[in-house]
Amino acid sequence: YKWDEDGKLVAKVYVAEVSSGAKFETLAEAFDAAAATDTVTLLADCELNTQYALTKNITLELNGKTLSKDVAKSADGKNKMIIVQGGATLTVDGSVEGSTVKGGLYAGVSATSFGTIVANGGSYYPAEGKDDCAFQSNGNAQSGAGNTITITDAAIYSANDIAVYLAGAGTY
């Protein structure tokens, strides 16, 4: 139990669990606590309304739940939800029916900080309130390195003509 903003005692709602069995009220807390190569499993639908910079290898098991970003609630007003950088890999397991991501998954943030995204199953949309892409790669062809985005057995949706944006060097 915990005290809410109105001073009422309410039950904690855990939205994610890491490989160790520890449970968290936010996905960001679970990502922070996870060790490299851990699996973070969603226990409930949840929002991640900030840009989270992922710098370690993590598997995110959607578990039939929805991970979303509401741009109206976000301080940055942007589609970016998870930015995989520093050579890290985010593997998204969306194999359970109903698994959905509504927010931008970005591989790399600059010409020198690359990332890898592997999406296995699930449905992917831009963030609520943002007409943008579900996947994006940022990179630089002159750097000699690049990002990797691999999408298998997934549905990708966009209200505009860009569902996946691939800029610069990389493997797609």
Side-chain angles (χ1 to χ4, degrees):
Y1 288 93
K2 68 176 184 176
W3 297 102
D4 71 6
E5 59 275 354
D6 296 326
K8 296 178 186 173
L9 189 60
V10 297
K12 287 184 178 182
V13 177
Y14 296 109
V15 301
E17 179 177 10
V18 298
S19 297
S20 68
K23 296 179 181 178
F24 298 89
E25 294 180 77
T26 71
L27 182 57
E29 291 171 335
F31 279 156
D32 289 344
T37 73
D38 268 359
T39 296
V40 175
T41 303
L42 292 186
L43 303 174
D45 293 346
C46 67
E47 289 184 346
L48 182 61
N49 288 324
T50 60
Q51 291 182 26
Y52 189 88
L54 185 68
T55 57
K56 54 190 165 188
N57 299 340
I58 296 289
T59 296
L60 174 60
E61 248 180 45
L62 296 175
N63 196 30
K65 309 297 186 238
T66 298
L67 168 61
S68 61
K69 179 175 184 177
D70 185 339
V71 174
K73 294 179 183 176
S74 171
D76 62 24
K78 296 183 179 177
N79 183 53
K80 292 179 186 175
M81 185 167 53
I82 300 173
I83 303 169
V84 185
Q85 60 189 45
T89 297
L90 171 65
T91 301
V92 182
D93 179 352
S95 61
V96 175
E97 186 176 340
S99 295
T100 304
V101 174
K102 294 182 177 182
L105 301 180
Y106 284 59
V109 68
S110 70
T112 59
S113 185
F114 295 98
T116 297
I117 298 171
V118 178
N120 297 313
S123 297
Y124 299 85
Y125 300 81
E128 296 289 332
K130 191 71 175 176
D131 188 17
D132 208 336
C133 50
F135 293 91
Q136 181 168 333
S137 167
N138 292 317
N140 183 327
Q142 286 76 37
S143 67
N147 301 307
T148 301
I149 298 176
T150 304
I151 303 167
T152 307
D153 296 326
I156 306 167
Y157 302 92
S158 180
N160 65 25
D161 59 347
I162 304 172
V164 179
Y165 179 72
L166 308 172
T171 305
Y172 313 105

